Amino acid sequence: MKPLSLIDNIMLFMERPAQPMHVGALCLFRPPADAPPDFVSRLAERLRQSTTTAPPFNRRVVRHLGIRFWEESADFDLAQHFVHLALPQPGRIRELLAMISRMHAAHLDRAYPLWRAYLIEGLEDGRIALYAKIHHAMADGVSGIRLLTQAMAASAEDSLAMPAPWELHTPKGGRRSLPVPTSALRSMEALRALTREGVTGVRPVFARMKQTLRDQRGGHPDCVGSLQAPPSIFNRNISGSRRFAAQSYAAARFKAVARRFDATSNDVVLAACGGALRRYLLALGELPDRPLIAAVPVSTRRDNRDSGNEIAFALSHLGTHIAEPAPRLRAVKACMDYNKAVLRTLKPAQLLAYEGLMFAPGALNLLTGLHRQRAIVNLVISYVRAPRRPLYWQGCALHGLYPVSLIIDGVALNITLTARGDALDFGLIGCRKTLPHLQRLLDDLEASISELETATP
Amino acid sequence: MKPLSLIDNIMLFMERPAQPMHVGALCLFRPPADAPPDFVSRLAERLRQSTTTAPPFNRRVVRHLGIRFWEESADFDLAQHFVHLALPQPGRIRELLAMISRMHAAHLDRAYPLWRAYLIEGLEDGRIALYAKIHHAMADGVSGIRLLTQAMAASAEDSLAMPAPWELHTPKGGRRSLPVPTSALRSMEALRALTREGVTGVRPVFARMKQTLRDQRGGHPDCVGSLQAPPSIFNRNISGSRRFAAQSYAAARFKAVARRFDATSNDVVLAACGGALRRYLLALGELPDRPLIAAVPVSTRRDNRDSGNEIAFALSHLGTHIAEPAPRLRAVKACMDYNKAVLRTLKPAQLLAYEGLMFAPGALNLLTGLHRQRAIVNLVISYVRAPRRPLYWQGCALHGLYPVSLIIDGVALNITLTARGDALDFGLIGCRKTLPHLQRLLDDLEASISELETATP
C-alpha cells in the first residue's frame, strides 16, 4: 500500500456530484471483413475470460486514519469494470455520442478500482466502439490514451495475440499533467528545488515574471496574463450532465494551412477552434468583445528522457475578436510564439515555478471555486499524441481515438485532440446545461477550417 | 415556486456519492403479435414527439438564500429524461438485470427534474423493457408505481391513445412513506397535534409504549423492539454499486400456503423471505444466531379517504433462526399479529407518534450514520399494490412490474414486491460489494416457497 500523491489527492478532493474527475476516450474500430455476426459477443466473451489484472487497473483507494492509500485489490470483480453494450436502432453516430455523454457523466465507484471500459456494438456502419474511462487520480489524459494504445498492435494478426488492456502493466508517468492549469502546488516544489541551486536558478524566473507583467501592463497584444479571460458562458458552474461531440479531420488540411502561413499545425488548430467558437458564440449572441483565452498544454520535454509527461500550460488567446481568418491565425501564431519564447528562456523546473507564481491567483480560484467570475481561462484545448502507424485491436482496425476529457466549475468546455495516423481526432466535452447544441461546434469547426484553407496569408 | 417539504429535504440531505436517493421500477412488456421489426424505434420516436410535461415531471430543485424550492422548469429537455437503449446479444434477462443494476447506481442530475425513463429493446424473447427512476424527494415507491401504471390502459387498443407517462399530472400523495423507518420527524408533528387534543389523545400512545417495553424486557417472542436487530452483513456501509434481481411468482402459491396456515399472504411472503435469507446467509457462513429483523411498511389507512399513503413501519422478525418452514411461518405470523394488535389500539396519528418515540434512537442512527453497529433493522421488505386487471402500455401487454428500491448505509438490502394481476413481482436491490451473488437469493426464494408449499401446518 502506497499513500496517494498530492496530485492524486487533489483529483479526489476536486470531485463533486456535478464534477466527476475521470477522463475517457472513445475508440472506433472496423472489424475484419470476414467477421461473423456474433463477432462482438465473442470478443466480449473472450475479454471476460481475463483472469489477471495489472497495476494500475487493480488499485483502489482505501483510507486509514484519514490518509488515502492505493491498495492492490485481490478480489477483482471484472464484471464491474468491463461492460458489453449495444446501441439502439438505427445505430447512428449521434446515438453513440448521446450514450457516451450519459456514461461520461456517471461517477466511478470509489469502492472499486477507478476505471471502466464499455465495448459497444450496433453501429449501423458495422464498426464497433470502445469507451473507457479512468479517474484522473489514476491516469491523466496522456497516460490514459497510452493505456489503450499499448494493447493495440501494428497488424490485425498481431493484435489478436494481445492481452486485454487491463492485463498490461503500465507504470505511472513521473510528473503528470493536470486537466486545468492548477500547477501552483507542483510549482512550489519546483521553486523550493531551484532555491537550493542558489540565485542563478531563481533569477531567470523573476526576470521573466517582471517582463511578462510589464508586457501585460503595456497592453502587449501577444501576452496573455492570468485573470485576463473575458466572462463567457464557459465560465459558469457546471451541471452534472455532459454533451460529447467527436469528429476526425485530415491532418494534411492543417499542415497545408500551416505551411502557407509559416505557422505550426498547432497554431492552425487553435485558430480553427477560435473561428469555430466565434461562430458558435455569435449564433448564441454570447460572443465577448475581448478574445477567449484557452489553456494550451505544451510539452516542456528537452533531452532528459525519463520525464515522460512534463507538461506546462500556456495561455493563448484564440483570436475570437477577429472576424477574418487570416489575421486571426496570424494573431494566434504571434501569441503562441510569445509563449514559446518564454518557454525557451527557462529550464523546465524554472518554467514550473514561473507558471505557478503567475497563475497562482487563478489556480486558487479553480481549485476552491471561491471567485469564479475572475476566470483564468475560458476553456482548455489539449493535445495527445498517439502512435502514427496504423493500429489494430483484437483483429479490428482503429478508425478514431477521441479523447473524452473533463470539465470543472468555471471551465465548462474542453477540446482535446489526438494526433493519430493521418488524422486529428477531436473530442469536445461540455456541460449539457450551460452549452446548448455543442454538436454545432463541429460544423463550425469544419467551416472554420475551410475558411483557413482558402484564406490568403 | 414552492419550498420543499421537510421530508423532501431529508431525501436530498441523505444523498451521498455511494447512496443515491432515487427509487425505480422495471416493467416488462410483450409487444403486439404483428409488431414490425422497428416497433421499439417507432415507439421511442413517438414518445420523443411529446411536447408537454406535467407536474411533477417538470419540477426541478432550485436554491434561493439557502432554501430549496420546486420550480416548474420551462425549458424542458426531453432527451435528458427519456432514453432509448438496447441490450447486447444474446439479450438474456441477466444482461437486462446487469444493465438495470448499473443504471440504478447512477445519480440523477440536480440541475434537471429528478427523473429518467429508459426504453430498452433487444431481449431475446422479443419483450421490451421500461426502466424508470425518480428521486425520492419527488415520489416514493408507491406513487412511483402509480405514475407508471396510470399511463397504462385495460386494453391494448385503449393504451395506444394514452399519452406519455410524463404528460399525466399526478398530485403528490398527502403523507408519503419513507424508504426506511425514519418516521421520528413526522411523528413529532403527530405528537404535537395529539397534545392539542388533550390527554385522551396522548394517553394511549404512552400506554402502548409501556406495554411494548414491558413485553420487550420480558422476552415476549413476538415483540420486536428498536435496536434488536442482530449485526449482519446487511448492516455495513454500502458501496456506490448495486445488484438488482427480479422474479415473478404466482400469487396463488402464497395464497394456498396462507389458507392452510390460517395466515395472510403477507405473512407467507415474510416467512418465504426469511427462509431464503437463511439459506443465502448459511451458504456465506454469515447467519446470525438471532432472527433477522425486517422493516415492513403497513398501511394505516382507515376510512378517511384523502390519506393516500398513510404508511407506518412495523418491525417483524423473519424466523431466520428456525430451520423448519412450518414453525418459521407460525413465528412470523405471531409477530405480525402482535404488530397488528398494536395498530388496532391506536389511531393513525397516535401510531405515528408511537413509532416515532419507539424508533427514534434507531432512526437517528440511520439518518446521521453515527452509530451504525446498533442496527434498527437488517433489511426492508416492502409491498406495493398495482391494479389487479391486465394492463397495456402503448399496445404492449404488461408482463412484470418490478420495484427497484433504494438502500442506505446500514441497510444494504431491500426487497420490494408488487402485487399485479395474478403475480407477485419481486425486486431485490442490494449493495454489489457487500452482498455477493444477490441473484442466488431468487433461487433460495423459490426453494423457500416450495418448502412452505409442502410443509404441514
Side-chain angles (χ1 to χ4, degrees):
Chain A
M1 289 211 311
K2 237 184 67 178
L4 268 69
S5 73
L6 178 61
I7 292 195
D8 296 346
N9 268 304
I10 290 175
M11 289 303 141
L12 294 173
F13 167 79
M14 284 180 76
E15 197 151 64
R16 285 193 280 273
Q19 187 172 296
M21 293 297 289
H22 52 254
V23 290
L26 170 66
C27 305
L28 286 178
F29 298 101
R30 167 74 58 197
D34 57 350
D38 62 347
F39 177 80
V40 186
S41 296
R42 283 200 213 176
L43 171 55
E45 201 43 50
R46 197 161 67 241
L47 291 167
R48 259 189 231 111
Q49 302 308 316
S50 165
T51 51
T52 60
T53 322
F57 296 107
N58 59 352
R59 276 192 199 124
R60 68 185 194 104
V61 178
V62 293
R63 276 183 99 123
H64 287 295
L65 306 170
I67 298 171
R68 291 200 182 96
F69 294 84
W70 290 117
E71 178 192 69
E72 303 215 340
S73 182
D75 56 336
F76 188 77
D77 179 358
L78 184 61
Q80 169 77 357
H81 300 280
F82 172 66
V83 175
H84 177 198
L85 284 182
L87 280 177
Q89 286 180 16
R92 291 164 300 190
I93 288 289
R94 59 177 282 189
E95 271 92 32
L96 177 65
L97 296 179
M99 180 184 262
I100 306 295
S101 304
R102 283 194 309 274
M103 294 194 300
H104 201 64
H107 284 251
L108 290 161
D109 184 356
R110 293 207 186 169
Y112 293 85
L114 292 164
W115 66 276
R116 190 177 261 180
Y118 298 84
L119 181 65
I120 305 160
E121 64 178 312
L123 268 168
E124 59 181 348
D125 63 9
R127 289 188 295 178
I128 61 176
L130 178 72
Y131 160 70
K133 63 184 185 182
I134 187 163
H135 201 282
H136 210 298
M138 307 235 323
D140 60 19
V142 172
S143 47
I145 297 286
R146 199 176 57 217
L147 290 176
L148 280 171
T149 52
Q150 72 175 359
M152 303 180 192
S155 79
E157 206 187 341
D158 288 352
S159 75
L160 286 169
M162 299 289 288
W166 53 84
E167 294 187 9
L168 290 163
H169 180 89
T170 319
K172 228 170 171 176
R175 293 191 178 283
R176 294 180 313 120
S177 74
L178 292 170
V180 283
T182 48
S183 44
L185 287 141
R186 243 173 38 190
S187 67
M188 288 306 127
E189 210 182 299
L191 196 62
R192 216 168 45 214
L194 284 176
T195 51
R196 279 198 291 270
E197 288 181 26
V199 72
T200 52
V202 183
R203 190 185 286 151
V205 177
F206 288 98
R208 188 55 247 178
M209 275 186 74
K210 247 165 87 179
Q211 181 60 42
T212 303
L213 291 171
R214 202 180 302 137
D215 288 348
Q216 214 177 316
R217 267 198 303 272
H220 192 307
D222 303 329
C223 168
V224 175
S226 192
L227 302 181
Q228 205 174 303
S232 76
I233 58 167
F234 304 128
N235 302 100
R236 299 191 183 148
N237 280 0
I238 56 175
S239 78
S241 301
R242 299 288 171 269
R243 230 187 265 271
F244 177 61
Q247 183 79 52
S248 297
Y249 302 89
R253 298 177 67 184
F254 293 86
K255 271 184 210 146
V257 175
R259 215 174 298 119
R260 286 196 298 116
F261 280 82
D262 193 23
T264 65
S265 278
N266 201 24
D267 296 337
V268 181
V269 165
L270 294 178
C273 288
L277 289 163
R278 182 181 161 86
R279 281 166 188 266
Y280 175 77
L281 291 172
L282 271 177
L284 295 172
E286 294 280 3
L287 182 69
D289 292 334
R290 283 183 288 140
L292 291 183
I293 309 293
V296 185
V298 286
S299 170
T300 64
R301 199 155 33 155
R302 303 281 154 96
D303 301 325
N304 49 342
R305 73 183 68 145
D306 67 343
S307 59
N309 282 332
E310 298 261 6
I311 282 178
F313 272 93
L315 294 189
S316 177
H317 77 74
L318 297 177
T320 49
H321 58 312
I322 304 172
E324 290 303 310
R328 187 187 314 123
L329 172 52
R330 282 194 300 266
V332 169
K333 173 180 151 46
C335 183
M336 286 304 285
D337 286 346
Y338 181 98
N339 277 319
K340 282 172 206 155
V342 174
L343 283 178
R344 263 193 303 273
T345 59
L346 300 173
K347 287 186 282 187
Q350 290 170 338
L351 189 66
L352 272 178
Y354 163 79
E355 281 207 327
L357 292 168
M358 290 299 292
F359 296 164
L364 206 64
N365 264 358
L366 280 178
L367 265 179
T368 60
L370 282 179
H371 195 53
R372 256 167 232 135
Q373 308 82 296
R374 299 298 304 272
I376 180 170
V377 292
N378 297 107
L379 69 153
V380 173
I381 300 181
S382 193
Y383 192 87
V384 181
R385 212 176 287 280
R388 288 291 182 186
R389 63 178 193 281
L391 287 175
Y392 294 83
W393 180 65
Q394 302 291 331
C396 308
L398 178 67
H399 264 216
L401 176 43
Y402 308 95
V404 194
S405 192
L406 63 82
I407 56 173
I408 62 172
D409 275 344
V411 189
L413 178 63
N414 176 299
I415 300 177
T416 301
L417 50 148
T418 311
R420 173 197 56 84
D422 305 323
L424 295 183
D425 296 340
F426 280 69
L428 283 57
I429 186 90
C431 167
R432 180 186 179 95
K433 186 124 189 133
T434 312
L435 307 183
H437 312 296
L438 186 65
Q439 61 282 16
R440 282 191 199 154
L441 251 178
L442 294 178
D443 296 335
D444 294 332
L445 200 51
E446 175 57 44
S448 179
I449 300 167
S450 304
E451 213 177 49
L452 284 165
E453 288 179 310
T454 54
T456 320
Chain B
M1 288 211 311
K2 238 183 68 179
L4 269 69
S5 73
L6 178 60
I7 292 194
D8 296 346
N9 268 304
I10 290 175
M11 289 303 141
L12 293 173
F13 167 79
M14 285 180 75
E15 198 152 63
R16 285 193 280 272
Q19 187 172 297
M21 293 298 288
H22 52 254
V23 290
L26 170 66
C27 305
L28 286 179
F29 298 102
R30 165 76 55 197
D34 58 350
D38 62 348
F39 176 81
V40 185
S41 297
R42 282 200 214 177
L43 171 55
E45 201 42 51
R46 197 160 69 242
L47 292 167
R48 258 189 231 112
Q49 302 307 317
S50 165
T51 51
T52 60
T53 323
F57 296 106
N58 60 353
R59 274 192 202 124
R60 69 185 192 103
V61 178
V62 293
R63 277 182 99 124
H64 287 295
L65 305 170
I67 298 170
R68 291 199 182 97
F69 294 85
W70 290 116
E71 179 193 68
E72 302 214 341
S73 182
D75 55 336
F76 188 76
D77 179 358
L78 184 61
Q80 170 76 358
H81 299 281
F82 173 65
V83 175
H84 178 198
L85 284 182
L87 281 178
Q89 285 180 17
R92 290 163 299 189
I93 288 289
R94 61 176 283 189
E95 271 92 32
L96 177 65
L97 296 179
M99 179 184 263
I100 306 295
S101 305
R102 282 194 309 272
M103 294 194 300
H104 201 64
H107 284 250
L108 290 160
D109 184 357
R110 292 209 186 169
Y112 293 85
L114 292 163
W115 66 277
R116 190 176 262 180
Y118 298 85
L119 181 65
I120 305 159
E121 64 178 311
L123 269 168
E124 60 181 347
D125 62 10
R127 290 188 296 179
I128 62 176
L130 179 72
Y131 160 71
K133 63 183 184 180
I134 188 163
H135 201 282
H136 210 298
M138 306 232 328
D140 60 19
V142 172
S143 47
I145 297 285
R146 200 177 57 218
L147 291 175
L148 280 171
T149 53
Q150 72 174 358
M152 302 180 192
S155 78
E157 207 188 341
D158 289 351
S159 74
L160 286 169
M162 299 289 287
W166 52 85
E167 294 188 9
L168 291 163
H169 180 88
T170 320
K172 225 169 172 179
R175 292 190 178 284
R176 295 179 312 119
S177 75
L178 293 170
V180 282
T182 48
S183 45
L185 287 141
R186 241 172 41 189
S187 67
M188 289 305 127
E189 212 180 297
L191 197 61
R192 215 166 47 213
L194 284 175
T195 52
R196 280 198 290 272
E197 287 181 28
V199 72
T200 53
V202 184
R203 190 184 288 150
V205 177
F206 288 98
R208 187 57 247 179
M209 276 186 73
K210 249 165 88 179
Q211 181 60 42
T212 303
L213 291 172
R214 203 180 302 136
D215 286 350
Q216 214 177 316
R217 267 199 302 272
H220 191 307
D222 304 328
C223 169
V224 175
S226 192
L227 303 182
Q228 206 173 304
S232 75
I233 58 167
F234 304 128
N235 301 99
R236 298 190 183 150
N237 280 0
I238 56 175
S239 78
S241 301
R242 300 286 172 271
R243 229 188 264 270
F244 177 61
Q247 183 77 52
S248 297
Y249 301 90
R253 298 177 67 185
F254 292 85
K255 272 183 208 145
V257 175
R259 214 173 301 120
R260 288 195 297 116
F261 279 82
D262 193 24
T264 66
S265 278
N266 202 24
D267 296 338
V268 181
V269 165
L270 294 179
C273 287
L277 289 164
R278 182 182 161 84
R279 280 167 189 266
Y280 175 76
L281 291 172
L282 271 177
L284 294 172
E286 294 279 3
L287 182 70
D289 291 335
R290 284 183 287 140
L292 291 183
I293 309 294
V296 186
V298 288
S299 170
T300 65
R301 200 156 30 154
R302 303 282 153 94
D303 300 325
N304 49 343
R305 73 185 68 147
D306 68 344
S307 58
N309 282 332
E310 298 260 7
I311 283 178
F313 273 93
L315 294 189
S316 177
H317 76 74
L318 297 177
T320 48
H321 58 312
I322 304 172
E324 290 303 310
R328 186 187 316 123
L329 173 52
R330 283 195 299 266
V332 169
K333 174 180 151 47
C335 182
M336 286 303 284
D337 286 347
Y338 181 97
N339 276 319
K340 283 172 206 156
V342 173
L343 284 178
R344 263 194 303 272
T345 59
L346 299 173
K347 287 188 281 186
Q350 290 170 336
L351 189 64
L352 272 178
Y354 163 78
E355 282 208 326
L357 293 168
M358 290 299 292
F359 297 163
L364 205 65
N365 265 359
L366 280 178
L367 265 179
T368 59
L370 282 178
H371 195 54
R372 256 167 232 135
Q373 309 81 297
R374 298 298 304 271
I376 181 171
V377 292
N378 297 106
L379 70 153
V380 173
I381 300 182
S382 193
Y383 192 87
V384 181
R385 212 176 286 279
R388 288 291 183 184
R389 63 179 192 280
L391 286 175
Y392 294 83
W393 181 66
Q394 302 292 330
C396 308
L398 179 67
H399 264 216
L401 177 43
Y402 308 94
V404 193
S405 192
L406 63 81
I407 56 173
I408 62 172
D409 275 342
V411 189
L413 177 64
N414 176 300
I415 300 177
T416 300
L417 51 148
T418 311
R420 173 197 55 85
D422 303 324
L424 294 183
D425 296 339
F426 279 68
L428 283 59
I429 185 91
C431 167
R432 180 186 179 93
K433 187 125 189 131
T434 313
L435 307 184
H437 312 296
L438 186 66
Q439 61 280 14
R440 283 192 198 154
L441 250 178
L442 294 178
D443 297 334
D444 294 333
L445 199 51
E446 175 57 46
S448 178
I449 300 168
S450 304
E451 210 177 51
L452 284 165
E453 288 178 309
T454 53
T456 319

